[in-house]
Amino acid sequence: MTIQFDDSMFSGIPELDNDHRIILAALSAAIDEAEDGSNSEKLSRLAKIFLDYLTEHFIKEEALMAHIEYPAEKIEKHKFAHRIMQEIYLVCLKNIVDNKITLSESL
C-alpha cells in the first residue's frame, strides 16, 4: 500500500512539506513490511523510528506556528490533533505487533 504526498497536504513551507513526504514514505514502508509478514521485531523497530520522526516533526511544526504568531487557540487545537494522531498510531501499532488485529483491520 503506497501513501503519497498530494496537493491537499501542501503547506507551502518547504521544510514541513519535506517532512510530510518523509513521514508518508516511512509509513508506506512500515505498511509494506507488515503486509509482507515482516517479523514483529523488525516492524517494531521501523515503527519506533517512524514515531520518533513524527514526534520531532510535530515539535518543529508547533514551534514554527508559535514563531509566526499563529493564533494561540488554533495552535492548541493543532497540538491536540497531533496528540490524538500519536495515540491512535500507538494503539494500532501495539495491536498489530501483538497480533490482535491485522494491518487491514487497523486502517
Side-chain angles (χ1 to χ4, degrees):
M1 168 188 250
T2 301
I3 303 171
Q4 295 182 338
F5 186 85
D6 66 36
D7 290 343
S8 71
M9 300 169 188
F10 186 72
S11 72
I13 301 168
E15 184 176 7
L16 295 182
D17 289 335
N18 187 53
D19 280 359
H20 294 154
R21 285 182 182 94
I22 291 168
I23 288 165
L24 293 177
L27 182 57
S28 289
I31 289 170
D32 288 345
E33 286 294 327
E35 288 177 337
D36 290 343
S38 180
N39 67 48
S40 61
E41 183 180 320
K42 183 176 182 181
L43 186 56
S44 292
R45 277 195 318 272
L46 284 171
K48 171 85 170 87
I49 291 167
F50 174 77
L51 182 61
D52 289 347
Y53 193 87
L54 187 66
T55 300
E56 289 300 316
H57 168 73
F58 287 162
I59 291 167
K60 183 188 323 179
E61 187 173 276
E62 292 162 7
L64 177 63
M65 292 170 82
H67 178 74
I68 64 171
E69 298 181 0
Y70 200 73
E73 67 278 0
K74 289 186 177 184
I75 292 174
E76 288 309 310
K77 286 180 182 178
H78 207 84
K79 285 181 178 182
F80 182 73
H82 284 165
R83 301 299 89 74
I84 295 295
M85 283 186 265
Q86 286 173 310
E87 289 301 317
I88 290 169
Y89 174 76
L90 288 170
V91 168
C92 289
L93 176 67
K94 180 169 179 9
N95 286 325
I96 291 167
V97 170
D98 292 347
N99 293 315
K100 292 180 181 172
I101 60 172
T102 64
L103 180 65
S104 61
E105 291 171 326
S106 74
L107 296 176

